[in-house]
Amino acid sequence: MAGITLDAGALIAAERNDRDFWAFYKDATREGVVMNIPAGVLTQVWRGAAQARLAQLINSCYVVPLDEVAVPVGVEALAAGNCVIVSDHAP
């Protein structure tokens, strides 16, 4: 079964009720695609219980624990020359 990993932009689009995102989501899930959200990405976007659309998405996805992805992502970041993995620009 194929899987898709959602990034912060996808989660923000879901929260903003972006029609393109929800059409993509509907088509993908209809085809049996598993949606994954890395825990680090979730921490970038989640700000509280008032995010009903985002909560709906999270409840239908697999949230990948950080320990499952930390080492492979670190290796990929090194190879890409990027040291910023999760960045929060809180107000």
Side-chain angles (χ1 to χ4, degrees), residues 22-49:
W22 286 110
F24 158 77
Y25 172 84
K26 182 178 177 181
D27 290 344
T29 55
R30 184 181 314 131
E31 294 295 321
V33 175
V34 176
M35 299 288 183
N36 299 294
I37 302 172
V41 169
L42 183 55
T43 64
Q44 287 180 290
V45 179
W46 185 258
R47 295 295 176 260

Side-chain angles (χ1 to χ4, degrees), residues 6-84:
L6 301 177
D7 65 5
L11 272 60
I12 291 167
E15 178 59 25
R16 292 181 178 168
N17 205 24
D18 181 88
R19 289 181 187 193
D20 290 335
F21 171 80
W22 286 110
F24 158 77
Y25 172 84
K26 182 178 177 181
D27 290 344
T29 55
R30 184 181 314 131
E31 294 295 321
V33 175
V34 176
M35 299 288 183
N36 299 294
I37 302 172
V41 169
L42 183 55
T43 64
Q44 287 180 290
V45 179
W46 185 258
R47 295 295 176 260
Q51 295 175 288
R53 286 186 197 100
L54 182 56
Q56 174 188 357
L57 176 65
I58 293 166
N59 287 332
S60 68
C61 296
Y62 174 67
V63 177
V64 182
L66 192 56
D67 61 341
E68 286 185 25
V69 297
V71 171
V73 168
V75 170
E76 291 296 320
L78 177 63
N82 183 358
C83 64
V84 178

